[in-house]
Amino acid sequence: ILANVSDADKNAINILLSAYGVKTENQATVLAAASMACPSLPTCGLGLAESERALPGMVERLEKLLAEVGLAGEEIIIRSTGCPNGCARPYMAEIAFVGKAPGRYQVWLGGNASGTRLNKLWKDVIKDPDMENELRPVLVRFAKERNAGERFGLPIAIARRRPACTSGIAGGMVEKVICTSLPSSAVSWPAVPLYGTCTMLMPAITRSSSPDR
């Protein structure tokens, strides 16, 4: 910390710091400023994968991917932890990497910027070198289908919380919603049931706006 620097000396100090590669302005990109990682290896004995040392490089790779799909400069809350304990609060991030083993991560999607919505597990294991290829289809779809000003985490969260199909729909497409009802299952009580045998219908739903799994 450089304290009590007079206004007359600031310019000279900035020039000196810049000469040695120390940024005094615009120190981080939008994506880097929205990212956070726990220390993990080699500091933490619980770390299963790299986190703090790996995140800067991962963010740079994601920035290139975002630019490639037309999302350059997009703010996405990213968190990385070296184990499931989640010290960097990955389970509220829009994109989170949770270490499972060296070079292997769970990927969680769907949190929000304010940290008031939990995300959901998207893929249980992704190798670090494959991260861009795995995330590319999701980001491409978001870029094409997003509403104006919509953040990355919102459509992911909505797609994973859709209600069941309207009662009576056995199959077909309604407003780009493909519904397929699973076979009915009859459940009988051990004794004579009070209201007879109950039947439960559990329809499965796939929306065109949901991310590839």
Side-chain angles (χ1 to χ4, degrees):
I1 298 177
L2 301 178
N4 300 321
V5 177
S6 65
D7 292 338
D9 294 331
K10 286 183 179 179
N11 187 49
I13 292 175
N14 286 336
I15 293 175
L16 181 62
L17 291 172
S18 298
Y20 286 92
V22 179
K23 293 183 179 181
T24 57
E25 296 179 355
N26 301 320
Q27 294 178 320
T29 62
V30 172
L31 200 62
S35 303
M36 184 169 63
C38 73
S40 192
L41 302 174
T43 304
C44 180
L46 300 177
L48 302 174
E50 290 284 356
S51 182
E52 186 179 51
R53 297 189 296 188
L55 186 61
M58 194 173 292
V59 167
E60 289 181 6
R61 290 156 51 194
L62 288 177
E63 285 175 335
K64 293 178 181 179
L65 176 57
L66 289 173
E68 177 186 323
V69 301
L71 294 171
E74 183 75 18
E75 182 186 67
I76 298 177
I77 303 300
I78 298 176
R79 299 288 183 262
S80 174
T81 60
C83 78
N85 286 330
C87 293
R89 304 193 298 278
Y91 306 115
M92 295 181 289
E94 293 178 290
I95 300 178
F97 308 108
V98 179
K100 291 201 69 175
R104 288 167 171 77
Y105 299 85
Q106 288 182 335
V107 177
W108 296 66
L109 302 177
N112 61 4
S114 60
T116 57
R117 181 176 63 230
L118 294 175
N119 53 25
K120 286 185 176 291
L121 179 63
W122 177 57
K123 291 202 174 183
D124 190 50
V125 180
I126 298 180
K127 295 180 180 179
D128 180 43
D130 299 333
M131 199 65 70
E132 294 98 311
N133 289 334
E134 295 287 348
L135 286 170
R136 181 177 283 105
V138 180
L139 293 169
V140 167
R141 192 164 189 173
F142 170 66
K144 290 181 179 179
E145 300 181 5
R146 69 184 301 191
N147 296 320
E150 192 171 49
R151 295 188 63 94
F152 175 75
L154 181 58
I156 301 295
I158 291 175
R160 293 179 176 276
R161 289 171 172 80
R162 292 295 182 187
C165 296
T166 303
S167 176
I169 297 179
M173 181 176 289
V174 180
E175 296 182 352
K176 296 184 180 181
V177 179
I178 301 173
C179 301
T180 304
S181 294
L182 300 178
S184 302
S185 59
V187 180
S188 299
W189 294 93
V192 178
L194 182 60
Y195 298 106
T197 301
C198 60
T199 300
M200 300 177 63
L201 293 176
M202 300 178 63
I205 181 169
T206 301
R207 292 187 62 88
S208 63
S209 61
S210 62
D212 296 331
R213 299 194 180 188

